[in-house]
Amino acid sequence: MLKGKHIILGISGGIAAYKSASLVRLFVKAGAEVQVIITPNGKEFITPLTLSTLSGKPVISEFFTANTGQWNSHVDLGLWADAMVIAPATASTIAKMANGVADNMLITTYLSAKSQVFVAPSMDLDMMRHPSTTRNIELLRSYGNIIIEPAEGELASHLIGKGRMEEPENILKAVDSYFEKSLSLKGRKVLITAGPTFEKIDPVRFIGNYSSGKMGYAIADEAAARGAEVTLVSGPVAIKPDNASVRVVNVESASEMLDACKKYFPESDIAIMTAAVADYAPAHPLDHKIKREKTDFDTLELVKNPDIAATLGAMKSDGQILVGFALETDNELANATEKLERKNLDMIVLNSLRDKGAGFRMDTNKISICRRDGSCVAYDLKPKKLVAVDIIDAVSSL
Ligand code: C5P
């Protein structure tokens, strides 16, 4: 999986830097191209000469080369990389990454990197346990970085505990399995609905809801990152997918969303319905603005909107996977499993409005995933980007 991949290996100033030489060797042996970026302190622990000999490329440490004035572009490096691995990542480098303190080449490149970032912490056990380190590592996780947990064992200080950088073989495995997973939906077509729908009352007013679209957009990005061809049918939202390969079909109302879904569903392998579709629409939307002074308008007649998920459930053929969402306030599990059956879904993602940090407009979510066999798995509260990883993992397992 690593053949031909461009890897940036960031080395900061910890004793485990001696292991980074083996890591370079392993990446190169696996067919990857490695560009080492080392912090000024890193050079105290391992020489650039060793690393450049093993990687076959000059090691980068400074913003520019003093004698020639040649500029090292962190932006170009960030675009070149298919993955960035920071091993060892010291407490100080982790803190700088978490807070954007861009005072060396490694951090500026980290901030510019578009690729997946892996962080292999290495420090003494009390530093590892300190609330500031714990918080900074959580921040990195919330940015979508993959933390390669340090191992337990004897540390350079002779203390015994957690803080030892993971062995190079295991770091290589983590990066390799990321690339393997990144192809898990290759060739699959995925349809996703997201955001609210707006149901027109007159040219300036509508019935809508607070859905931000964040969950559906995160799922679209995650599916695209795994090689899927994604069509995202989106109600009106203020966000864009991060992944440029996602095809966005903008719609406004539930009936427009239904039309788009009916068009793309037959060719889809997977459909994930995250949209908060308005349940009702005005029966007679007006083409002129309703005037306040006009007294004969005091009742809004509504008609029920189509159930898009249920319509696709009825159209579904063998081999297609349909996933729904349920946002509940009470009897959560019973309501979710009832929807699973009624809409002919293969899986339903339940979020309860009773859970703090879950639901509309938040950046985090807390979900349970229920399947047709009656099993339900509850997940921890996480950033929506990581919730998307859990959802796509679960869908892939089907
Ligand atoms: O019935 P309820 O609205 O709770 O169901 C939620 C699930 O059904 C979500 O997956 C939502 O996207 C989908 N849905 C739909 N069309 C509707 C209502 C809900 O696709 N009109």
Side-chain angles (χ1 to χ4, degrees):
M1 278 296 148
L2 287 163
K3 200 167 166 34
K5 292 283 189 283
H6 294 170
I7 312 276
I8 290 180
L9 177 60
I11 301 177
S12 59
I15 183 63
Y18 78 90
K19 294 192 202 169
S20 306
S22 312
L23 189 54
V24 175
R25 182 96 189 82
L26 290 173
F27 277 134
V28 170
K29 245 175 104 179
E33 252 186 76
V34 181
Q35 174 63 63
V36 174
I37 303 180
I38 194 162
T39 64
N41 281 338
K43 287 192 282 188
E44 305 289 337
F45 290 89
I46 184 160
T47 72
L49 180 61
T50 306
L51 298 163
S52 62
T53 308
L54 291 173
S55 67
K57 280 181 192 294
V59 167
I60 296 174
S61 183
E62 316 299 336
F63 289 110
F64 59 90
T65 312
N67 52 351
T68 63
Q70 188 195 317
W71 169 249
N72 291 319
S73 167
H74 52 90
V75 178
D76 289 350
L77 283 165
L79 292 173
W80 174 82
D82 296 309
M84 181 167 188
V85 182
I86 296 153
T90 59
S92 150
T93 285
I94 288 171
K96 288 180 187 177
M97 289 164 69
N99 296 288
V101 181
D103 67 350
N104 65 43
M105 195 58 199
L106 176 53
I107 308 293
T108 49
T109 307
Y110 165 71
L111 294 176
S112 307
K114 291 263 188 216
S115 66
Q116 181 63 53
V117 177
F118 297 79
V119 184
S122 166
M123 64 197 79
D124 212 51
L125 79 167
D126 291 311
M127 293 174 83
M128 189 70 207
R129 274 193 208 133
H130 194 281
S132 94
T133 309
T134 314
R135 194 198 57 209
N136 287 330
I137 289 180
E138 279 320 305
L139 278 173
L140 295 187
R141 248 191 256 279
S142 76
Y143 306 155
N145 299 167
I146 294 175
I147 309 297
I148 302 174
E149 290 290 337
E152 303 247 352
E154 190 180 349
L155 303 166
S157 60
H158 303 302
L159 293 173
I160 294 178
K162 192 171 169 175
R164 211 161 78 166
M165 186 177 90
E166 188 47 281
E167 293 305 323
E169 290 76 11
N170 293 336
I171 296 177
L172 180 101
K173 265 190 213 150
V175 179
D176 192 57
S177 64
Y178 161 77
F179 284 119
E180 196 175 318
K181 200 165 138 181
S182 72
L183 296 175
S184 65
L185 290 179
K186 195 160 175 61
R188 302 285 183 189
K189 291 193 169 142
V190 180
L191 169 67
I192 297 169
T193 65
T197 62
F198 285 179
E199 311 297 333
K200 213 173 241 168
I201 299 171
D202 71 11
V204 293
R205 303 178 182 91
F206 58 85
I207 297 174
N209 60 64
Y210 289 125
S211 170
S212 61
K214 285 178 188 166
M215 193 66 254
Y217 276 64
I219 292 173
D221 281 329
E222 183 58 28
R226 297 199 199 185
E229 219 178 279
V230 180
T231 301
L232 176 61
V233 177
S234 175
V237 294
I239 54 174
K240 283 196 174 117
D242 290 337
N243 193 312
S245 77
V246 173
R247 168 170 59 185
V248 183
V249 178
N250 290 302
V251 296
E252 192 172 288
S253 64
S255 74
E256 285 171 16
M257 190 173 272
L258 177 67
D259 289 346
C261 286
K262 277 183 168 164
K263 178 172 168 195
Y264 294 108
F265 184 62
E267 64 185 40
S268 303
D269 300 294
I270 300 164
I272 307 175
M273 308 279 98
T274 76
V277 184
D279 290 320
Y280 291 90
H284 309 290
L286 297 171
D287 55 12
H288 60 274
K289 187 180 166 194
I290 301 163
K291 295 265 189 300
R292 187 147 56 110
E293 307 79 44
K294 200 173 164 195
T295 50
D296 61 349
F297 188 89
D298 53 10
T299 308
L300 188 60
E301 196 190 327
L302 299 175
V303 286
K304 214 164 173 30
N305 267 336
D307 189 319
I308 300 165
T311 309
L312 301 191
M315 289 168 66
K316 194 171 73 170
S317 52
D318 280 354
Q320 283 186 304
I321 293 172
L322 182 60
V323 180
F325 267 66
L327 182 66
E328 304 290 338
T329 52
D330 50 79
N331 290 328
E332 289 93 338
L333 275 181
N335 286 336
T337 42
E338 183 273 328
K339 271 173 206 168
L340 187 72
E341 295 285 334
R342 178 165 47 85
K343 303 191 187 207
N344 195 22
L345 309 172
D346 299 285
M347 190 182 263
I348 194 154
V349 181
L350 165 67
N351 29 157
S352 169
L353 275 182
R354 285 200 285 193
D355 285 322
K356 234 176 126 217
F360 280 0
R361 296 196 286 187
M362 312 288 277
D363 288 320
T364 52
N365 205 358
K366 184 169 176 356
I367 59 158
S368 296
I369 296 183
C370 302
R371 298 170 185 237
R372 278 308 262 266
D373 61 10
S375 65
C376 278
V377 178
Y379 293 79
D380 293 336
L381 180 75
K382 298 179 186 186
K384 283 184 172 166
K385 279 182 191 302
L386 298 185
V387 174
V389 173
D390 291 337
I391 292 170
I392 295 295
D393 278 345
V395 173
S396 301
S397 77
L398 286 180

